[in-house]
Amino acid sequence: MNLQKQDARFIAHTYHRYPLVLVKGKGCYVQDEQKRSYLDFTSGIGVNLFGYHDDDWMQAIQAQLAQLSHSSNLYVNEPAVKAAELLCQKSGAQRVFFTNSGAESNEGAIKAARKYAHDRYGSERSEIITLCDSFHGRTITTLSATAQTVFHQHYMPFTPGFVHVKANDPKDLLEHVNSHTAAIMIEVVQGESGVRPLTQEFASLIQQVCEQRDILLIVDEVQSGIARCGSLFAYEQYGLRPDLVSCAKALGGGLPLGAVLFFDKTKDVFQYGDHGTTFGGNPLACVGACSILRRCQSDLYASVKEKGAYLKAWLTQMPHVKSVTQMGLMIGVELDHLDARAVVEECIGRGILLLTAKQRLRLLPPLIITREEIAYGMHILHDVLAQASSKSTV
Ligand SMILES: *Cc1c(COP(=O)(O)O)cnc(C)c1O
């Protein structure tokens, strides 16, 4: 039996995978079992920040592996302390709770926000406002937070207490803020729904509403954070001052790691026993995070912005492209009426890997991608789009 058949036989059918078996990678290239190379614009969905087989990250993990790979949260572990210190120093956060994924980070942030509101205002204040077309994860509670009806099926009852308002619609927001509102939870750039940035006006309104009413601002930076958008977190470019931030994806550089960041108001919300995890903050994932975070600084941010603009310039002049949304190296491409998945499948055949997000193409290349690699990949995408016939329309 070949590997694809075994995959279908033994692994739950939750992903409609592309027919591709990846074996190893280096830098921005990854190889399949036939030793064909692919230029990668996915980073494993925003995870492998500095490409495959990143030397600094690998050496840090190999050294730690020979020392201690897991010890539990009952004891102090240096890599976790160092990773938390780096996150706090670079963001202005006061404390960190480590998790293993984005969904868990959002769960932690939601729990902290509810406890903050409960401690101060009682149990009536528990609602969390989230934005239409958001994505916050796959647990029952983070699906409740995710304001997309496609996700609100099969698993009833969902966690109550989530209110959905339209993104970039001040009126809708103001109509739903009331004495029950504990927090407003946002992605400043909605990733899974196609790389849709909030307007500055709407982001500023949220900040204002939160500050006036002691409503907590939760920013989900799982996809947009850790230098992806040209700053440690994307919210910085909006001038926001969140109370809770969740991150994951690129934080561990390839090992499962997420974090909840607590700022001034929320730093003491969790007391001993209020929250926990077996794996979160394990030393192996955390030395990886230290390797990643040490490199998150202004020269990297400048190059991410510059490469993002370069990619956008390529994309905007391609056939079938209606619009391009971009913040650093997080890029969405709206096509006229081509099926995004069909375009991605065609690109695989031509040796480049891209993502989709809803009906858009999405690019999350490793931040180390060079201008030459971008040009090479964009020539191919240009060809694929130019040759796309009406057969591949939706
Ligand atoms: C990917 C993602 C999540 C979920 O992260 P998991 O690690 O898959 O649980 C949550 N929020 C955003 C914005 C994401 O992009």
Side-chain angles (χ1 to χ4, degrees):
M1 241 201 296
N2 76 19
L3 215 51
Q4 260 164 266
K5 284 203 179 118
Q6 279 179 290
D7 176 297
R9 163 69 184 80
F10 292 113
I11 297 185
H13 292 190
T14 57
Y15 280 87
H16 181 201
R17 279 189 249 286
Y18 297 107
L20 189 58
V21 181
L22 295 178
V23 176
K24 63 175 183 180
K26 179 74 195 157
C28 296
Y29 283 89
V30 61
Q31 236 179 48
D32 70 8
E33 50 183 354
Q34 269 111 42
K35 296 199 159 53
R36 276 202 59 178
S37 270
Y38 302 84
L39 177 57
D40 180 49
F41 287 90
T42 74
S43 304
I45 320 187
V47 169
N48 307 318
L49 200 66
F50 297 114
Y52 297 92
H53 207 283
D54 168 45
D55 284 329
D56 189 84
W57 180 85
M58 240 183 47
Q59 281 162 19
I61 287 176
Q62 280 170 343
Q64 183 61 39
L65 192 57
Q67 295 290 321
L68 186 74
S69 59
H70 179 78
S71 61
S72 92
N73 277 308
L74 300 178
Y75 312 103
V76 178
N77 96 63
E78 185 178 343
V81 175
K82 290 276 183 272
E85 185 182 15
L86 279 163
L87 273 170
C88 287
Q89 280 169 350
K90 286 170 184 286
S91 67
Q94 299 291 333
R95 285 193 223 290
V96 172
F97 178 88
F98 285 115
T99 72
N100 310 287
S101 68
E104 282 173 273
S105 299
N106 285 330
E107 285 267 348
I110 289 164
K111 283 175 76 174
R114 284 202 168 155
K115 181 157 188 292
Y116 177 93
H118 185 267
D119 287 349
R120 274 168 193 69
Y121 304 101
S123 56
E124 288 300 295
R125 185 145 155 165
S126 61
E127 276 180 9
I128 300 189
I129 293 180
T130 62
L131 303 181
C132 292
D133 293 321
S134 55
F135 183 81
H136 297 298
R138 297 283 197 158
T139 64
I140 293 278
T141 296
T142 55
L143 281 177
S144 290
T146 295
Q148 298 189 45
T149 41
V150 288
F151 289 111
H152 298 161
Q153 293 170 42
H154 319 305
Y155 313 116
M156 290 72 163
F158 288 92
T159 309
F162 288 87
V163 176
H164 303 149
V165 308
K166 292 197 195 83
N168 298 327
D169 186 334
K171 191 161 161 281
D172 201 30
L173 175 74
L174 294 174
E175 274 170 12
H176 289 89
V177 174
N178 57 43
S179 61
H180 303 297
T181 312
I184 301 176
M185 180 169 177
I186 59 173
E187 296 157 89
V188 294
V189 192
Q190 295 183 327
E192 293 303 309
S193 64
V195 187
R196 296 162 178 269
L198 294 188
T199 62
Q200 179 65 57
E201 183 200 5
F202 190 67
S204 303
L205 177 69
I206 290 173
Q207 181 73 62
Q208 195 191 337
V209 167
C210 286
E211 263 167 21
Q212 278 169 358
R213 297 175 172 241
D214 194 23
I215 290 167
L216 295 184
L217 174 57
I218 308 175
V219 183
D220 178 346
E221 289 273 359
V222 171
Q223 190 159 152
S224 53
I226 318 297
R228 169 61 54 193
C229 291
S231 45
L232 183 64
F233 293 115
Y235 72 75
E236 296 166 35
Q237 296 179 50
Y238 284 86
L240 295 179
R241 294 173 300 280
D243 302 297
L244 292 158
V245 169
S246 57
C247 60
K249 291 198 165 90
L251 178 62
L255 282 177
L257 184 68
V260 186
L261 275 58
F262 304 92
F263 289 74
D264 288 318
K265 270 191 193 177
T266 53
K267 66 176 192 287
D268 294 318
V269 168
F270 282 154
Q271 294 298 315
Y272 299 132
D274 285 342
H275 196 38
T277 165
T278 298
F279 286 116
N282 100 73
L284 217 48
C286 284
V287 281
C290 290
S291 157
I292 301 292
L293 289 167
R294 278 194 205 101
R295 285 175 276 174
C296 288
Q297 24 176 318
S298 52
D299 51 343
L300 176 69
Y301 304 151
S303 91
V304 168
K305 284 181 177 158
E306 190 256 322
K307 289 173 196 174
Y310 181 59
L311 252 170
K312 184 177 182 178
W314 268 99
L315 289 161
T316 40
Q317 46 82 41
M318 286 190 194
H320 296 292
V321 169
K322 254 175 89 177
S323 71
V324 179
T325 47
Q326 172 256 344
M327 195 169 179
L329 283 170
M330 185 167 175
I331 298 158
V333 183
E334 188 189 0
L335 301 170
D336 49 12
H337 44 263
L338 293 181
D339 177 30
R341 185 173 170 110
V343 172
V344 168
E345 281 168 355
E346 186 62 28
C347 285
I348 291 174
R350 305 281 302 268
I352 60 170
L353 302 185
L354 305 173
L355 295 163
T356 61
K358 294 245 179 100
Q359 263 315 312
R360 294 184 181 188
L361 297 175
R362 176 172 43 145
L363 282 66
L364 300 172
L367 307 189
I368 54 164
I369 196 166
T370 62
R371 283 174 80 94
E372 290 70 33
E373 286 165 338
I374 291 173
Y376 170 77
M378 291 302 99
H379 272 299
I380 292 173
L381 179 60
H382 189 286
D383 268 13
V384 167
L385 290 174
Q387 285 162 19
S389 66
S390 45
K391 264 181 272 159
S392 55
T393 56
V394 197

